[in-house]
Amino acid sequence: AQKITQTQPGMFVQEKEAVTLDCTYDTSDPSYGLFWYKQPSSGEMIFLIYQGSYDQQNATEGRYSLNFQKARKSANLVISASQLGDSAMYFCAMREGAGNQFYFGTGTSLTVIP
Amino acid sequence: EAQVTQNPRYLITVTGKKLTVTCSQNMNHEYMSWYRQDPGLGLRQIYYSMNVEVTDKGDVPEGYKVSRKEKRNFPLILESPSPNQTSLYFCASSLHRTGGGSPLHFGNGTRLTVT
């Protein structure tokens, strides 16, 4: 079974609008961390936001927030007030507390339309 | 500046010619790993290391070797490259060897083409 599933290969959003990128995960470890990364067309991987499984509140970092629904095993990334520079590939990832590997989804390509 | 440095950025080689992609981090991180990125497949882990002289296979280790003789360096070795190893490769490091909290810090990637 896939550890991380991103079901949206491509998304479009109007500039200044909010957008939600979906991520579901699969683990039986009660302790885990969830991460989102951005990969612009230049290719580098940029860390955006982290959510721990025991965190009581949803993580936020500037315009990025993580909609963490533990019972549904989902960790959706919300980008508010989209900007043209947000056009990129976005990857969801997980690391289990007792584990040694990071698992990545297949990514969502976001295009912001002016 | 805290960073992960991998070289080269671009590499074109021929089938069977041994090559090494270097990776170095200056953050005193315990955990280092290699990934390959292919369209539609996301990032897949090749090998990882939790400490000096401790390495283990990820999900796609076939055709690759690694070593961790020093904490800062984690080279990826392709003894006999084949065209199916044409890919974008990333080295990454994380502060802690285990646990969920530390994010990966990535190098800028190496685009490898094997003809």
Side-chain angles (χ1 to χ4, degrees):
Chain A
Q2 291 287 339
K3 289 281 191 181
I4 295 287
T5 302
Q6 294 181 255
T7 58
Q8 306 154 313
M11 291 276 288
F12 292 87
V13 64
Q14 205 76 36
E15 194 177 5
K16 298 180 186 175
E17 298 291 312
V19 63
T20 298
L21 307 183
D22 294 343
C23 172
T24 57
Y25 59 92
D26 180 32
T27 182
S28 57
D29 192 331
S31 174
Y32 51 89
L34 297 157
F35 307 84
W36 277 92
Y37 288 86
K38 172 184 179 181
Q39 185 181 41
S41 58
S42 51
E44 71 267 31
M45 294 288 288
I46 302 166
F47 166 65
L48 295 178
I49 195 166
Y50 162 78
Q51 179 84 45
S53 59
Y54 294 120
D55 293 344
Q56 294 296 314
Q57 294 189 325
N58 288 342
T60 60
E61 288 287 348
R63 293 187 298 110
Y64 304 108
S65 60
L66 205 152
N67 184 359
F68 181 46
Q69 298 189 45
K70 199 169 182 176
R72 294 186 177 185
K73 293 189 174 179
S74 76
N76 300 337
L77 178 70
V78 181
I79 305 174
S80 63
S82 296
Q83 302 171 356
L84 296 178
D86 294 333
S87 292
M89 196 74 153
Y90 289 82
F91 290 97
C92 179
M94 176 179 68
R95 188 182 194 187
E96 293 162 324
N100 304 317
Q101 290 187 250
F102 284 80
Y103 301 97
F104 284 81
T106 52
T108 296
S109 176
L110 177 67
T111 303
V112 180
I113 304 166
Chain B
E1 181 190 351
Q3 60 186 0
V4 178
T5 303
Q6 61 179 105
N7 283 296
R9 290 294 307 275
Y10 301 93
L11 182 56
I12 301 173
T13 190
V14 296
T15 299
K17 186 176 181 181
K18 181 180 178 180
L19 66 91
T20 300
V21 184
T22 63
C23 176
S24 180
Q25 51 92 5
N26 62 1
M27 296 170 281
N28 202 34
H29 283 177
E30 294 181 328
Y31 183 95
M32 297 186 74
S33 59
W34 277 100
Y35 301 83
R36 61 177 290 174
Q37 182 180 3
D38 302 290
L41 298 178
L43 278 80
R44 294 179 293 168
Q45 193 165 34
I46 303 170
Y47 270 94
Y48 61 92
S49 170
M50 293 192 290
N51 213 330
V52 175
E53 303 292 0
V54 180
T55 63
D56 211 343
K57 296 177 181 178
D59 295 322
V60 288
E62 293 78 21
Y64 304 96
K65 284 176 58 177
V66 293
S67 68
R68 186 104 181 261
K69 294 187 171 64
E70 306 164 280
K71 195 171 187 177
R72 63 184 291 128
N73 295 324
F74 192 47
L76 179 69
I77 303 156
L78 284 72
E79 294 268 1
S80 182
S82 62
N84 65 12
Q85 292 178 297
T86 292
S87 187
L88 176 60
Y89 290 86
F90 285 102
C91 179
S93 70
S94 177
L95 179 61
H96 297 125
R97 70 184 73 170
T98 60
S102 304
L104 283 168
H105 299 258
F106 283 85
N108 284 333
T110 295
R111 188 164 291 284
L112 172 65
T113 302
V114 183
T115 61

